[in-house]
Amino acid sequence: MISTASVHGIASMIIQVEADVSNGMPSFEMVGVLSSEVREAKERIRAAIRNAGYLLPPKRITVNLCPADVRKSGAGFDLPIALAVLCAHGIVPPQKPGHTLFVGEITLNGALRPVRGVLPMALAARQAGIRAFVLPVENAREAAFVKELAVYPAADLSSVIKHLNGQTLPEFTTINIEETASDLSAGVDFSQISGQYTLRRACEIAASGMHNLLMVGPPGAGKTLAAQAIASILPPLNEEEMLELAGIYSVSGLFAERKKQLYRRPFRSPHNSVTKMALLGGGRIPRPGEISLAHKGILFLDELTEFERPLLEQLRQPLEERQIRLVRQAGTYCYPAEFVLVAAMNACGCGNFPDREKCTCTPRQIRQHLGKISRPLLDRVDLTIEVPKVTMADLLSHSENESSEQIRQRVIRAHEIQRKRFAGFKISCNSRMRAEFLRRFCPMSEGARKCLAEAYEELDLSARAYHRLIRVARTIADLDACEEILERHMTEALLYRSMDEAAYRSGV
Amino acid sequence: MSVENAIKYVHWFSRIPHLSSKEKLRLLEIFADEETIFTMKENRLKQHPKVAQRTKEILLAARKDTEWEREYDRFCQSGIRLIAYQDAEYPKRLTHIYNPPYCLYVKGRPLSEERKCFAVVGARACSSYGAAVAKEIGRQLTRAGVDVVSGLAAGIDAAAHAGALEAMTAGRTLDERAPGTMTAEAGPGGGLTGDGLAEVGIPVAVLGCGVDICYPAANRLLYQKLARAGSLVSEFPPGCAPKKYHFPMRNRILSGLSDGVIVVEARERSGSLITADLSLEQGKAVYAVPGRISDSLSRGTNWLLSQGADVFCSVQEFLQEQGILQGENLAEGRKIEIPLEKNERLVYSVLDSTPKHFNFIVEETGLCLPQTAELLLRLRKRGCIQEIYQNYYIKISI
């Protein structure tokens, strides 16, 4: 009995492989609801075993993978099936079920190739009480996150056979996550962005309270650069979040991307031609989409108006629920998707509005352009700012801009305050506060209350917009390390209010 | 036949396509009235010596139509009135123009000829400055008792209507505050209020489609307000969709109804200049709001000025020139000096009538971001500045 594991969503399940050799017509039968890549394993295994120097007698071989009612897919079953067959022939000693986990794809010459989803497998193994894990060398790093497991990376089939016959493989121990993974740089730094006070500040607030952000402005204003820079001011992930994210990347086969910067929050920017499957997660057995790969980090949608509208509408539910539930015939898959939506768009088709000298769009065209984004989606965006063109003075100025490092310190402090505030509640940041939390956690000074009431009247705000303002003001107060929301916090929050129709379009 | 019946046939006659207003009016000179044309024997019409063959065919085809009567009943019920050329309510000003409309459909208040009446027109894709100017002109003219006429298009037209409506509602709240000082019938636009305030004007919109259609649809709110507080006027029968060629036709009524035209912003060779031309042809005053020579939106108005149009520098001067105000000062709350503290004045001084982004203000004043936000909000509440789009501000004053 050989133990292995299959991946289901981002969870994993322990699978047992057994083989039987009997007299009869020589054949190789495999049973246990197998997908085609598992079924093809028999050809690879037969060649690999022969190339490892063992001859299988012409007998009837039956391999069973249990539990029999779970569909098995993926190439990781090659190694356990090969071992089960060798075990049945007495080439390797019988294995105690639940002692060692074997995973790996085998090539014809017997070499092991990496597989997807090793991290969830390792977590499942720990839960099942398995102590050792034999796997391809490339995957060793992922499995080593689980400290309770002895990880044995193997290069080929014969070294695994030797391992089981007493010639133990060297254990993978050189795990020092801190040395490389604590790197948080994003390639873009806020010191590269000159001027743009509102933009810089809005990014800081978005990062502090994990608020969704929409930037509206002409081409070349620095919207894309700013979005990338936000990734550089986000606080590092904690241990638990890091593992969760590593798991998502592991099942997507993208672990290598994160290996260098494990604690950095992800930044995903799918192009506007992205399909529904790629964005939300999809396939017959769905893999995590961009929104899950951006979990705990940033999903940046550049040129928001160019995305297909139905696609954007489908983001509404994950934005509310912080996860996506994909229902397929083979089962329901739930992937976390707690991302910060950062979006950028032009105010009109030609991009120059509100500069009437340059903008050639008719009012109708502008309305149509803005109409591409639905109200319900805009309602879920806490911060909206107009980004003007970069002025000549900004380009020429030599004044030192604040670096991401400095901003990040403030952001981390604000996160710390929020963590303390929401300790014992399900939420972790201001942007997730619902109405009942707002009453409880957002005490306002008399001035702030008055300011808000006046804005509510004057700007004809909706209840949603009203709550948005309080949430943003809460984050601004947190950045100020202020328990109470003061008037100056509220006036600043009003700067980033949503693109509400009446106010925005009056000039059109 | 009753008068009511006679007006029914005016509608029938008005909705006949392919006949211009001029041809229709000429036909009325030949025949006594519309009813005669509708009811006379087919042979007699066919043999009439003074009517062209083409016209006869059109008339005969129109007589076979049955839809018009139901249509007439329907729009009458919805409060739309039909004013025939011969009616007393038909504006005398319009009879003086070349090619006057054969009839007018009116929704809302009746048209008055006692008050002065000026058209405010301009570009649809106007600047925020232009919109602010148009709004202010609309507001102040209405307050001074002038009917402001415009075309309910986007941009300048909409802003002028909005300003006029604002002045009306302001007038109304004044009335409500002083009940008993006036008779119940005299709403805005009727008589003097107890405060000694002159009557306010009524906004008039001239449409290029039926008065029951709101075009462009984005002006729905404005349209509804105008239908309630002002008048909507069109020569096209209700249900008539806006066509491209309707708008130059609409413009002749627009200028015909008014004592003069004020062009706020116009590009070169734009529709607003057509209205100005028509106005000149009709022998009326043309005013243009001057602009910077570099602004393409002021090219048209500056061109008008170079061609001899009157310059529109301030509402005050305009009203005095037109004899609406005699040297007296217009009751005006806006011009009163508001005491500002040092930083407020600093922020205020950076702004002008073109939209300035928040970043620009921070840069110019050297103040920090939260402080600037606070100062801007305070100035906005005092009515000194306006946030024209998100994060863009202008000074309010003309």
Side-chain angles (χ1 to χ4, degrees):
Chain A
M1 202 65 110
I2 304 289
S3 298
T4 184
S6 78
V7 178
H8 182 92
I10 52 165
S12 181
M13 184 180 189
I14 302 297
I15 305 281
Q16 307 293 347
V17 185
E18 52 189 359
D20 177 66
V21 181
S22 61
N23 290 328
M25 283 286 274
S27 71
F28 197 134
E29 288 293 332
M30 292 209 288
V31 291
V33 206
L34 309 177
S35 67
S36 57
E37 66 266 30
V38 183
R39 210 168 282 287
E40 284 161 1
K42 64 181 175 194
E43 304 302 334
R44 289 193 291 270
I45 287 162
R46 218 198 293 268
I49 292 178
R50 193 178 58 239
N51 291 333
Y54 302 94
L55 201 65
L56 293 182
K59 289 199 166 181
R60 187 185 171 80
I61 303 168
T62 310
V63 175
N64 179 35
L65 282 76
C66 61
D69 60 345
V70 178
R71 190 177 173 86
K72 289 103 190 159
S73 62
F77 292 101
D78 289 7
L79 179 63
I81 293 170
L83 291 176
V85 171
L86 291 169
C87 194
H89 284 90
I91 296 167
V92 296
Q95 294 294 307
K96 220 175 4 165
H99 181 272
T100 310
L101 195 73
F102 297 92
V103 168
E105 181 186 332
I106 297 181
T107 64
L108 295 184
N109 64 5
L112 293 189
R113 283 178 34 79
V115 295
R116 292 189 293 119
V118 165
L119 180 53
M121 288 177 191
L123 291 169
R126 176 174 68 183
Q127 197 141 36
I130 292 172
R131 235 80 52 68
F133 196 171
V134 175
L135 77 183
V137 177
E138 289 89 339
N139 290 125
R141 186 63 208 279
E142 281 169 65
F145 278 114
V146 183
K147 306 230 163 56
E148 293 85 344
L149 283 179
V151 176
Y152 297 102
D156 53 20
L157 180 61
S158 34
S159 59
V160 180
I161 296 170
K162 280 180 199 145
H163 172 74
L164 294 179
N165 283 319
Q167 221 177 315
T168 315
L169 286 161
E171 197 181 331
F172 184 82
T173 49
T174 55
I175 170 115
N176 191 352
I177 295 169
E178 286 69 31
E179 73 175 37
T180 54
S182 54
D183 179 15
L184 293 176
S185 64
V188 177
D189 196 279
F190 264 105
S191 58
Q192 295 168 4
I193 301 171
S194 322
Q196 303 287 24
Y197 306 95
T198 44
L199 177 61
R200 294 167 68 94
R201 178 72 173 163
C203 290
E204 181 179 337
I205 296 167
S208 298
M210 301 302 260
H211 297 285
N212 297 327
L213 169 72
L214 173 64
M215 300 178 274
V216 185
K223 303 187 292 288
T224 311
L225 196 67
Q228 286 165 345
I230 296 178
S232 70
I233 57 169
L234 288 170
L237 295 165
N238 65 27
E239 200 67 27
E240 190 189 330
E241 292 169 332
M242 182 274 286
L243 266 183
E244 187 180 18
L245 203 64
I248 296 172
Y249 277 74
S250 177
V251 297
S252 311
L254 295 170
F255 185 78
E257 254 180 52
R258 289 198 60 74
K259 209 156 61 179
K260 297 264 166 54
Q261 296 183 307
L262 281 171
Y263 288 91
R264 201 190 73 149
R265 288 176 188 260
F267 175 84
R268 305 291 301 186
S269 60
H271 183 252
N272 52 44
S273 62
V274 65
T275 62
K276 184 181 137 199
M277 307 283 174
L279 188 68
L280 305 174
R284 202 173 52 81
I285 310 286
R287 291 205 203 164
E290 288 290 335
I291 59 167
S292 299
L293 294 174
H295 181 54
K296 297 282 174 193
I298 289 172
L299 179 71
F300 176 49
L301 303 182
D302 205 354
E303 307 298 351
L304 189 66
T305 45
E306 300 306 312
F307 282 81
E308 279 173 39
R309 178 142 180 185
L311 204 60
L312 294 179
E313 299 310 305
Q314 283 168 333
L315 282 180
R316 273 153 52 177
Q317 202 198 357
L319 276 170
E320 258 338 275
E321 296 181 0
R322 309 283 147 199
Q323 62 176 12
I324 185 149
R325 195 179 286 279
L326 301 162
V327 182
R328 295 290 185 275
Q329 187 248 325
T332 302
Y333 300 81
C334 194
Y335 294 124
E338 190 180 346
F339 58 92
V340 175
L341 177 69
V342 176
M345 61 184 266
N346 300 136
C348 68
C350 74
N352 291 316
F353 186 82
D355 187 348
R356 271 291 179 209
E357 276 300 296
K358 282 192 195 147
C359 175
T360 53
C361 302
T362 63
R364 187 190 157 86
Q365 282 174 319
I366 294 170
R367 267 196 305 279
Q368 260 172 357
H369 185 81
L370 298 175
K372 285 181 187 168
I373 315 297
S374 73
R375 257 343 288 142
L377 186 68
L378 282 179
D379 271 337
R380 287 166 174 80
V381 176
D382 285 349
L383 298 162
T384 305
I385 47 160
E386 276 280 339
V387 186
K389 226 177 63 183
V390 182
T391 59
M392 202 61 200
D394 287 337
L395 291 175
L396 293 174
S397 84
H398 293 291
S399 61
E400 240 347 92
N401 294 306
E402 221 177 1
S403 74
S404 292
E405 185 65 42
Q406 285 165 294
I407 301 173
R408 197 194 306 132
Q409 294 314 319
R410 289 200 296 271
V411 173
I412 290 173
R413 265 202 302 281
H415 271 261
E416 208 49 57
I417 293 172
Q418 292 170 57
R419 193 165 305 135
K420 282 200 194 110
R421 175 183 306 136
F422 300 125
F425 295 97
K426 271 199 179 134
I427 58 172
S428 60
C429 47
N430 291 338
S431 58
R432 312 276 180 271
M433 283 195 287
R434 304 220 156 275
E436 63 269 22
F437 285 114
L438 289 176
R439 267 192 294 280
R440 184 166 180 170
F441 293 121
C442 301
M444 279 184 265
S445 74
E446 201 43 53
R449 199 181 300 277
K450 207 168 134 236
C451 176
L452 182 61
E454 279 170 4
Y456 188 80
E457 286 295 314
E458 188 198 349
L459 302 170
D460 193 19
L461 298 178
S462 65
R464 264 205 170 129
Y466 178 85
H467 290 152
R468 259 197 317 260
L469 274 175
I470 301 178
R471 276 196 296 264
V472 174
R474 176 70 269 171
T475 304
I476 296 172
D478 285 345
L479 277 167
D480 214 4
C482 224
E483 188 47 44
E484 196 184 39
I485 298 173
L486 302 178
E487 190 177 353
R488 63 167 186 273
H489 304 139
M490 193 53 82
T491 51
E492 196 186 338
L494 276 169
L495 269 187
Y496 315 115
R497 66 162 197 280
S498 169
M499 202 161 75
D500 46 78
E501 262 165 316
Y504 193 81
R505 289 167 193 185
S506 63
V508 175
Chain B
M1 280 294 158
S2 68
V3 182
E4 203 172 306
N5 252 346
I7 195 92
K8 196 161 83 177
Y9 293 105
V10 173
H11 173 62
W12 167 73
F13 199 52
S14 118
R15 69 193 289 280
I16 299 176
H18 312 305
L19 279 183
S20 69
S21 277
K22 221 163 131 200
E23 284 171 303
K24 283 176 185 167
L25 287 170
R26 204 185 110 62
L27 278 171
L28 281 187
E29 278 167 24
I30 300 168
F31 302 98
D33 56 25
E34 296 84 356
E35 199 176 346
T36 321
I37 303 174
F38 187 77
T39 50
M40 77 193 296
K41 293 249 163 57
E42 196 172 322
N43 276 342
R44 257 193 68 206
L45 180 60
K46 271 185 182 162
Q47 283 154 15
H48 202 285
K50 280 183 181 168
V51 183
Q53 188 57 36
R54 173 184 157 267
T55 315
K56 281 177 189 164
E57 278 164 23
I58 293 171
L59 286 176
L60 287 172
R63 277 162 52 137
K64 294 204 178 73
D65 181 37
T66 52
E67 189 54 35
W68 65 275
E69 224 168 333
R70 230 171 307 150
E71 208 178 89
Y72 176 78
D73 290 340
R74 219 179 306 138
F75 79 70
C76 277
Q77 273 163 21
S78 68
I80 297 168
R81 278 165 301 117
L82 175 57
I83 302 171
Y85 188 75
Q86 300 87 355
D87 286 357
E89 207 192 325
Y90 190 91
K92 290 287 155 302
R93 287 178 185 131
L94 278 182
T95 60
H96 302 319
I97 68 171
Y98 175 75
N99 191 11
Y102 158 71
C103 68
L104 288 178
Y105 295 85
V106 179
K107 190 175 180 179
R109 290 165 179 271
L111 299 168
S112 148
E113 290 205 79
E114 284 149 28
R115 287 185 296 274
K116 283 262 186 185
C117 180
F118 276 90
V120 180
V121 296
R124 276 169 294 166
C126 64
S127 71
S128 52
Y129 160 74
V133 169
K135 196 169 178 185
E136 200 56 32
I137 293 176
R139 190 196 341 250
Q140 293 199 26
L141 289 193
T142 304
R143 191 157 45 188
V146 175
D147 285 357
V148 173
V149 188
S150 200
L152 195 68
I156 297 290
D157 284 17
H161 284 311
L165 283 165
E166 224 169 76
M168 275 199 85
T169 37
R172 186 169 306 144
T173 46
L174 260 178
D175 297 346
E176 280 162 6
R177 242 181 271 148
T181 53
M182 50 186 290
T183 53
E185 298 87 54
L192 282 156
T193 65
D195 301 358
L197 219 74
E199 56 175 341
V200 296
I202 289 177
V204 179
V206 186
L207 311 186
C209 55
V211 287
D212 57 340
I213 292 173
C214 174
Y215 178 84
N219 284 342
R220 170 139 315 268
L221 200 65
L222 217 50
Y223 171 88
Q224 284 165 350
K225 280 187 186 163
L226 281 167
R228 232 178 298 130
S231 333
L232 297 160
V233 181
S234 174
E235 69 172 314
F236 304 104
C240 178
K243 299 265 167 59
K244 218 171 178 178
Y245 62 88
H246 285 175
F247 291 92
M249 291 168 79
R250 183 254 337 240
N251 289 349
R252 86 177 193 284
I253 303 178
L254 219 155
S255 59
L257 274 177
S258 43
D259 296 311
V261 173
I262 303 166
V263 186
V264 178
E265 268 188 329
R267 290 198 158 89
E268 275 171 306
R269 287 187 293 277
S270 62
S272 312
L273 299 188
I274 299 178
T275 314
D277 271 351
L278 286 167
S279 195
L280 278 181
E281 272 170 29
Q282 294 165 4
K284 298 187 174 163
V286 173
Y287 282 83
V289 176
R292 298 188 295 197
I293 55 170
S294 59
D295 287 1
S296 59
L297 273 166
S298 291
R299 253 317 126 94
T301 47
N302 287 346
W303 179 83
L304 279 176
L305 289 172
S306 73
Q307 297 299 303
D310 288 317
V311 55
F312 189 100
C313 281
S314 78
V315 180
Q316 195 83 27
E317 274 172 40
F318 169 80
L319 290 173
Q320 280 166 4
E321 222 172 284
Q322 286 296 321
I324 298 164
L325 276 187
Q326 271 93 29
E328 60 177 300
N329 222 343
L330 196 63
E332 248 252 80
R334 205 167 289 284
K335 287 273 157 63
I336 296 165
E337 271 293 315
I338 305 166
L340 299 176
E341 63 148 83
K342 186 167 155 264
N343 277 341
E344 285 175 347
R345 195 165 309 134
L346 180 63
V347 171
Y348 188 66
S349 68
V350 172
L351 294 171
D352 57 31
S353 57
T354 53
K356 295 274 183 291
H357 191 269
F358 189 89
N359 285 349
F360 175 84
I361 302 162
V362 172
E363 221 155 79
E364 290 290 309
T365 58
L367 299 167
C368 73
L369 189 143
Q371 198 183 0
T372 314
E374 210 172 336
L375 288 167
L376 282 169
L377 189 71
R378 240 189 283 161
L379 285 170
R380 216 173 74 196
K381 274 183 198 155
R382 291 197 176 177
C384 301
I385 62 165
Q386 197 183 346
E387 186 171 5
I388 202 89
Y389 329 104
Q390 190 161 9
N391 305 155
Y392 282 93
Y393 303 84
I394 59 165
K395 211 181 223 180
I396 307 177
S397 69
I398 297 171

